[in-house]
Amino acid sequence: MNLEELSKQFRRLPGVGPRTAEKMAYYWLTLEDDEAERFLRTLENFRRQITLCKRCHNLAVGSDLCNICQDNRRDKAIVVVETPQDVENIEQAGIYHGYYHVLHGLISPRKGVTPEQLFISDLFDRIVDEGITQVIIATSFTMEGDITADYLAKQLKTLQPNIPIYRLGTGLPVGGELNYADKATLRAAFITKQKVGEEND
Ligand SMILES: [Zn+2]
């Protein structure tokens, strides 16, 4: 084991380049033993206690269902997002009070990600089981986000023709990822949400 091997592990973290990874590896060397132990214990506990909600696939702590799915007073709506961070951002913006469905990725022909590899099929079951009255697709305004939104809208239109489907509005920058959006931008995106597939009716 040498410094380079540890740096390599840090480089796997999102947004960490070679220089930062090297700094992190050095930092790890300078930590007191008890500090390092606390850090490791936190990582371990996080892995042990956090699971994915069996209904919406958001993060759940010590339970089958996440906090949001456990709250039965929420609006009968579902916002479809790519990651649990998106759920967190939308909750923080305080503009939406329904449920979520986390895909854990986007359909991507370039990366070979198919709909079957994402949490998509159980979304359709949820709409019936939970009496959902509207679906809002909140994928990023990137090529993969568009492909995923189009796929979901087409499937939903076929399976649930009476449920209105929306996509977040132009409050988000083109090419922007949802998790980079600030609260004001997210609120604007919800206010300007567009009904999908109107022109085909
Ligand atoms: Zn949930």
Side-chain angles (χ1 to χ4, degrees), residues 53 55-58 65-66 68-69:
C53 173
R55 190 178 295 166
C56 76
H57 316 297
N58 186 23
L65 294 178
C66 70
I68 294 165
C69 286

Side-chain angles (χ1 to χ4, degrees), residues 156-173:
L156 283 164
K157 278 266 164 221
T158 311
L159 294 166
Q160 303 292 338
N162 299 321
I163 304 285
I165 304 156
Y166 297 88
R167 187 158 184 212
L168 285 195
T170 48
L172 289 169

